[in-house]
Amino acid sequence: MSVVSLLTLASLLLAASGQQPTFSRTSNRDGRCIYSFTVPSPVETSCSELGEAANAVRELQRERATQQREVESLGERVQVLERWMAGREEAGGHEARSDVRRLQVEKLDLLRRLERAERENARLRDGQCPGLRETPLESHQIARGGRQDVFNLSSRQRAQPSREASSWSFENTEYQELKSEIITEIPASKMIQRSESGTSITTQQSPGCGMLEWVGEPVTFQKADSIAGRYGVWMKDPEPVPPHSREHIWRINTVGTDVRRLYEYQDLDQFMKGYTSKVYMLPEPVESTGGTVYRGSLYYQKRRSRSLLRFEMKTETILVQKDLPHAGYRGAFPYSWGGYTDIDFAVDELGLWVTYSTNQAHGAIVISKLDPNTLEVEQTWTTAIRKRAVANSFIICGILYTLNSYSIQNAVINFAYNTNTNSSKALAIPFENRYRYNSMVDYNPAEKKILAWDNFNMVMYDIKLSKI
Ligand SMILES: *[C@@H]1O[C@H](CO)[C@@H](O)[C@H](O)[C@H]1NC(C)=O
């Protein structure tokens, strides 16, 4: 039952009793959502009608809980299926192969149902005001005052993010890809309610800054030779500190359950030949492709957590570990390709940033400017761009740009959000996913280029910025 039908029910109940009800929904400062039914009370009456309205609200909560269980049981079935498939694959032979094919079809079907159940869950959740998200009905009070009965239903937002279907531990790339195929290409524009085409976006007065106007063709520099390199991240340091220089390149292959190897290359030539100059073993495993190198440190998200880490390469130690407040992780708000890309670092002319989402933001992209020494959040912006609906993002001169697809060859940069003016703008700048599976897209402010990891391939794009 939706909130709308609940309200209709409440009004009918109250109208039938010959009274003039009013209804209001408000959120107070600490995020509590308050539903108020107000009816005149000329005489002392029972609150039975109001009691029924409360029942209807409880019904709504129960329906959500049922949906949640459905999502969870579907997830368990997918896991069981995957174990069978692994067994049949080992068995080999013609019959086993046809079993595997059948199981693959069944798995795809299960994943589709899972996705539908998740969507239904989100719909139920989004039909309510923010304070009611993911919460059991906490309390309802009936207050009487003078000539009115006031009925409040309130609930408080839970501090922890909800357990989401996508937070199950599927480690293989296949699951992540199948899942992403199903959820991809939800129009991001649905989140943009205000028409902002007339807004002029101005940028901070940094040298060489401007709006992105054009992205060139990808140039391929290296190709990973094992499945571990299907996704990954490659980086250069825009502000290196000795012993490193602007020439150095770092790379992490991110497929696997315990990703800890950071490869270092002397320069582009060595990188293209595949000769590493050093391999760091990271003290904590890496989650996905969101890392970046800046001022001699690798910044990355610790696996299965919202912890941000600063690994200093010179001392090979983690200097700072800090939780990113309220950030969703482990598949709560990934980019459309999946891959647990919940938290993505970025570096631009203005410094270090992190892009993510929270329950409070309903999955919209949240950007925080970070102090690179302490990883403290300095300032935060909430955009109207749905994170799951875009394939990736990067920041140039304080402006966040989003990519509409990770897999179509003729993709476009579809939105810009300017943290200088807090305004967004729809764009259509062509961007080529040459190898049709882009898992990382980062801007490098020293090179003034975009680095990306497209289906085993490490590529670079020229860009053009407008003059201010
Ligand atoms: C933009 O939003 C930030 C963060 O919410 C706020 O601190 C800042 O004052 C806003 N700036 C403008 C120009 O509205």
Side-chain angles (χ1 to χ4, degrees), residues 120-163:
E120 180 63 15
N121 228 347
R123 192 187 61 74
L124 282 169
R125 185 183 59 212
D126 292 342
Q128 302 170 36
C129 89
L132 256 181
R133 300 184 67 217
E134 305 292 331
T135 48
L137 188 60
E138 208 171 73
S139 65
H140 62 272
Q141 313 137 4
I142 296 174
R144 296 224 171 141
R147 308 181 49 200
Q148 291 192 324
D149 285 348
V150 178
F151 179 66
N152 285 339
L153 297 172
S154 57
S155 65
R156 195 168 52 228
Q157 196 147 10
R158 259 195 287 171
Q160 294 300 312
S162 67
R163 210 180 96 94

Side-chain angles (χ1 to χ4, degrees), residues 358-415:
T358 63
N359 280 338
Q360 291 94 323
H362 299 270
I365 292 180
V366 175
I367 309 165
S368 289
K369 186 88 195 311
L370 298 178
D371 178 327
N373 292 317
T374 62
L375 290 175
E376 292 286 349
V377 170
E378 291 173 342
Q379 207 178 340
T380 294
W381 293 260
T382 302
T383 72
I385 305 163
R386 193 177 141 87
K387 188 156 183 291
R388 272 175 179 268
V390 300
N392 224 303
S393 75
F394 52 90
I395 299 179
I396 305 177
C397 302
I399 303 175
L400 175 96
Y401 296 90
T402 61
L403 178 63
N404 73 333
S405 168
Y406 60 91
S407 59
I408 62 172
Q409 256 169 335
N410 304 320
V412 290
I413 306 291
N414 59 348
F415 292 107

Side-chain angles (χ1 to χ4, degrees), residues 75-93:
E76 274 152 21
R77 283 168 63 190
V78 170
Q79 278 181 315
V80 169
L81 205 64
E82 281 184 335
R83 278 198 292 274
W84 283 349
M85 276 166 69
R88 293 309 282 160
E89 251 155 7
E90 264 168 37

